[in-house]
C-alpha cells in the first residue's frame, strides 16, 4: 500500500510552533515516525508539506492512480477549504483526516471540518499517534 501523507500550512514549523499545543518534535521526526509505522504494516509513505491551498488541491488530484490513500492534515484549511473538499470528491481519493490536537475542543471556528465531510475517518488529539492510527487504519491493522 502506498500512502501519501499531506501536511498543510504552518506544519513546517512543528517543534517551534506553539509547542504547548503541537509538541517539541519537528516535521522530520514526524516523517520518521510515519515511516516507522508504515514499515511495521508493510506500507510505504511519502510525506509532503505546503503552506498553499492550491498546491494541496494539485497533490490530491495527482494522487489518483499514484497512491492508494491519503493521510491529510490540511491544518487551518480543514476549516475553510471547499476547494480541498471538492478535490477529494473529484478524484474519489481515499482520505483519512488527521490532527495533532483536537480541533473540536478548541475555538468554535475549528469545529467545522470540510475535509471531514469527505474523509472516511478522522483521528485527532493524539499528537503523532493520530498519524500512526490513520496509517494503521489504512493498512487494516487498526485497533478501532
Ligand atoms: C491542526 C488543527 C488546526 O485547527 C490548525 O489550524 C492546525 C493544526 C492540528 O493538527 O491539530 O494548523 O490541523
Amino acid at each position: 500500500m502506498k500512502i501519501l501523507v499531506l501536511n498543510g500550512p504552518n506544519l513546517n514549523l512543528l517543534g517551534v510552533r506553539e509547542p504547548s499545543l503541537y509538541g517539541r518534535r519537528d516535521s522530520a521526526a514526524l516523517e520518521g515516525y510515519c515511516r516507522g509505522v508504515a514499515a511495521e504494516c508493510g506500507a510505504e509513505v511519502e510525506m509532503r508539506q505546503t503552506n498553499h491551498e492550491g498546491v494541496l488541491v494539485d497533490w490530491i488530484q495527482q494522487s489518483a492512480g499514484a497512491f492508494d490513500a491519503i493521510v491529510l492534515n490540511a491544518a487551518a484549511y480543514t476549516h475553510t477549504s471547499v476547494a480541498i473538499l471538492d478535490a477529494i470528491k473529484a478524484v474519489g481519493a481515499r482520505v483519512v483526516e488527521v490532527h495533532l490536537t483536537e480541533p473540536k475542543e478548541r475555538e468554535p471556528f475549528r469545529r467545522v471540518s470540510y475535509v471531514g465531510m469527505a474523509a472516511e475517518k478522522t483521528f485527532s488529539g493524539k499528537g503523532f499517534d493520530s498519524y500512526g492510527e490513520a496509517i494503521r487504519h489504512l493498512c487494516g491493522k487498526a485497533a478501532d
Side-chain angles (χ1 to χ4, degrees):
M1 153 155 296
K2 282 184 73 176
I3 300 170
L4 180 61
V5 180
L6 295 182
N7 279 329
N10 301 304
L11 290 169
N12 54 316
L13 297 180
L14 223 48
V16 291
R17 170 193 187 198
E18 298 181 87
S20 60
L21 283 174
Y22 298 110
R24 295 213 172 265
R25 289 182 292 172
D26 64 11
S27 57
L30 177 59
E31 181 162 358
Y33 168 88
C34 289
R35 283 190 192 291
V37 174
E40 277 169 28
C41 300
E44 262 177 66
V45 288
E46 180 170 325
M47 183 172 290
R48 301 181 196 162
Q49 188 278 332
T50 178
N51 291 328
H52 304 282
E53 182 177 16
V55 174
L56 284 171
V57 169
D58 288 341
W59 285 343
I60 291 164
Q61 289 183 6
Q62 290 157 9
S63 73
F67 292 90
D68 299 298
I70 300 173
V71 171
L72 176 58
N73 186 348
Y77 293 136
T78 302
H79 316 297
T80 61
S81 182
V82 177
I84 290 172
L85 169 62
D86 284 351
I88 295 167
K89 289 171 141 180
V91 296
R94 187 177 178 201
V95 168
V96 177
E97 175 186 20
V98 293
H99 300 285
L100 295 154
T101 63
E102 180 49 85
K104 291 190 167 52
E105 290 172 4
R106 298 177 59 188
E107 302 94 325
F109 60 80
R110 295 184 204 274
R111 284 184 198 144
V112 171
S113 171
Y114 289 97
V115 171
M117 292 173 199
E120 71 179 48
K121 204 153 173 66
T122 298
F123 295 96
S124 54
K126 296 188 172 166
F128 283 14
D129 287 338
S130 298
Y131 290 74
E133 289 186 4
I135 293 166
R136 287 194 186 92
H137 164 80
L138 286 167
C139 298
K141 303 236 160 114
D144 60 323

